[in-house]
Amino acid sequence: MASWSRQRPESPGGFQPHLSRTLFLLLLLAASACGVTLSPKDCQVFRSDHGTSISCQPPAQIPSYLPADTVHLAVEFFNLTLLPASLLQDASKLQELHLSSNRLENLSPEFLRPVPQLRVLDLTRNSLTGLPPGLFQASATLDTLVLKENQLEVLEASWLHGLKALRHLDLSRNCLRKLPPGLLANFTLLRTLDLAENQLETLPPDLLQGPLQLERLHLEGNKLQELGKDLLVPQPDLRYLFLNGNKLARVAAGAFQGLRQLDMLDLSNNSLASVPEGLWTSLGRPNRDMWDGFDISSNPWICDQNLSDLYHWLQAQKDKMFSQNDTRCAGPEAVKGQTLLAVAESQ
C-alpha cells in the first residue's frame, strides 16, 4: 500500500488481468487495519504482482501520469466536467476504469484508444447526454459498460459500435423515451440488459434479437403499457424478468411461451386486471422454473371467471409467490379486497 504523487514513479512489472474492484477495496481496508496512513492529497495505491490499482477521491489530486502496469483506476466524486486529456496515455494494460459521481458532459472519441485491454467502464452518475461515435473502436475486450444515472434521452446504435465482448449493459435511470432498432444486433455475448427507470413507453420488436443467451432483463420503472407476444421469443434461456412498476394493462397470449429457464418474474405495480388464458402454461414447471419466485401484487385484478386459468396456476405455485397479502381483488364487489390466492383456493 502506498500513496501517489503527481511525479511519474518507476513501474513494477507483472500483472494479472481483471483485479476485481471488490478485491481492491478489501486490500485497502486490510492496509488501513495495519496502520497505513495517507496524505489527504494522495490517491490510494496498491501494488502487487497483479499490477497497480489506484483510487482517487477528493481532496486527492488526480495524477498526471499512471504506472505502465496500472490495471485498475478509479477517479470518483470530483465533479469533473472534463477529464485530463493525457489521463490514460501510459496505461495500456488498464482493465477497469471507474469514473462515477462526476459531472462529465461528453467524452472524446479517442478517449479509450490508449486502453485496448479495458474490460470494465463505469460512468455512473454523470451528465452525459450522448456518446461520440467511435468511442469503442479499440474496446473489443470491454465486457461491462455502466451508463446508469446519466441524462441520456436518446440512444444511437452507432454509439456502441466496436463492442464485441459485451456481457453487461446498464442504461438504467436515464431519460430514454425510445430505443433504436437493431440496438443489440451485434451483442451476441450479452447476459444482462438493464433499462430500468427510464421513460420507455414502447420497445422495438427486434430489441432482443442479437444476444444468444440473455439471462437478466430489467425493464422495471418505465411506462410500458403492453407486452407483445414476440418480444421475448429470441431469449428462451432468460432467467430473470423484471417488469414491475410500469403501466402494463395487457400481456399478449404467448408472451411467455418458450421461456424454459425462467427463475424470477416480477409483474407487480402495474395495471393488470386480467390476463389471457394459457399465459402461464409454460411457466412454473415442476423441478425447474420459478426457483426464485414471482410477484403479481399491486395490480387491479378483476377476480371473475376470466382468471380461472390463473387460479389453477396460483394453487400449484403458491409457495413461490411473493407479496401474497398485497395481491388482492379490485372487483367484482363480492370479492373486492380479498386476496387473489384466497379466491383461487375457493374455486
Side-chain angles (χ1 to χ4, degrees):
M1 184 75 176
S3 62
W4 174 266
S5 68
R6 294 172 65 87
Q7 182 178 1
R8 183 196 297 265
E10 293 183 6
S11 302
F15 80 106
Q16 180 177 345
H18 198 57
L19 178 64
S20 74
R21 194 180 190 196
T22 300
L23 177 59
F24 175 54
L25 293 175
L26 288 173
L27 290 168
L28 292 179
L29 290 172
S32 176
C34 293
V36 177
T37 59
L38 298 172
S39 165
K41 292 186 178 181
D42 292 330
C43 296
Q44 294 176 319
V45 177
F46 178 79
R47 294 188 177 95
S48 74
D49 291 340
H50 304 298
T52 298
S53 296
I54 303 172
S55 179
C56 302
Q57 295 183 6
Q61 296 180 348
I62 301 173
S64 299
Y65 301 98
L66 299 175
D69 71 337
T70 301
V71 294
H72 182 292
L73 174 64
V75 179
E76 300 172 306
F77 303 101
F78 279 94
N79 289 326
L80 297 171
T81 56
L82 292 173
L83 292 169
S86 61
L87 180 64
L88 304 180
Q89 287 304 311
D90 299 310
S92 62
K93 297 179 180 179
L94 193 68
Q95 304 286 314
E96 295 193 25
L97 177 59
H98 299 268
L99 298 170
S100 69
S101 301
N102 286 290
R103 291 189 298 163
L104 297 174
E105 298 175 353
N106 54 67
L107 299 172
S108 165
E110 294 81 24
F111 175 58
L112 298 177
R113 291 183 184 177
V115 288
Q117 298 182 44
L118 193 68
R119 294 184 58 185
V120 177
L121 176 59
D122 181 6
L123 290 161
T124 300
R125 287 188 298 277
N126 279 284
S127 300
L128 296 170
T129 58
L131 297 175
L135 177 64
F136 300 113
Q137 288 304 308
S139 301
T141 62
L142 195 75
D143 62 36
T144 299
L145 174 59
V146 183
L147 289 162
K148 179 179 181 179
E149 294 184 54
N150 277 274
Q151 298 178 16
L152 300 173
E153 295 185 7
V154 297
L155 187 64
E156 300 292 340
S158 61
W159 296 349
L160 304 179
H161 284 177
L163 296 175
K164 301 176 181 179
L166 200 65
R167 297 172 63 90
H168 182 106
L169 177 59
D170 189 344
L171 293 161
S172 63
R173 296 189 180 185
N174 277 278
C175 306
L176 294 170
R177 298 182 181 277
K178 63 178 181 178
L179 300 173
L183 176 64
L184 307 178
N186 298 315
F187 297 160
T188 57
L189 300 179
L190 195 68
R191 295 293 185 268
T192 299
L193 175 62
D194 196 338
L195 291 163
E197 297 186 52
N198 279 283
Q199 304 293 319
L200 298 169
E201 297 181 2
T202 61
L203 299 171
D206 68 349
L207 175 63
L208 302 183
Q209 295 178 12
L212 298 179
Q213 202 170 9
L214 194 69
E215 295 178 353
R216 301 181 68 98
L217 178 58
H218 290 265
L219 294 169
E220 67 267 26
N222 281 283
K223 298 181 178 181
L224 301 173
Q225 300 177 39
E226 179 179 354
L227 180 63
K229 67 181 181 64
D230 297 325
L231 179 69
L232 302 174
V233 170
Q235 300 302 329
D237 295 320
L238 191 68
R239 295 185 57 199
Y240 298 92
L241 176 57
F242 298 92
L243 288 159
N244 46 300
N246 278 279
K247 298 182 178 181
L248 287 174
R250 180 177 179 272
V251 178
F256 302 141
Q257 186 174 359
L259 294 183
R260 59 196 181 200
Q261 306 286 347
L262 200 64
D263 285 334
M264 173 69 193
L265 172 64
D266 196 341
L267 282 166
S268 62
N269 291 287
N270 277 287
S271 301
L272 294 170
S274 188
V275 288
E277 185 175 356
L279 178 66
W280 314 96
T281 303
S282 63
L283 301 180
R285 293 173 298 178
N287 303 320
R288 183 60 192 94
D289 292 338
M290 297 298 178
W291 277 353
D292 294 325
F294 66 94
D295 194 339
I296 57 173
S297 65
S298 301
N299 282 284
W301 296 109
I302 301 301
C303 300
D304 55 18
Q305 68 277 8
N306 292 324
L307 288 186
S308 59
D309 187 51
L310 177 56
Y311 297 153
H312 288 102
W313 189 80
L314 283 180
Q315 291 182 66
Q317 305 296 330
K318 61 183 179 181
D319 59 324
K320 303 172 184 176
M321 182 179 182
F322 292 113
S323 307
Q324 295 183 12
N325 196 49
D326 294 323
T327 310
R328 294 180 176 270
C329 302
E333 195 65 32
V335 294
K336 185 176 181 180
Q338 295 186 31
T339 66
L340 190 59
L341 189 56
V343 174
E345 291 175 339
S346 70
Q347 299 298 307

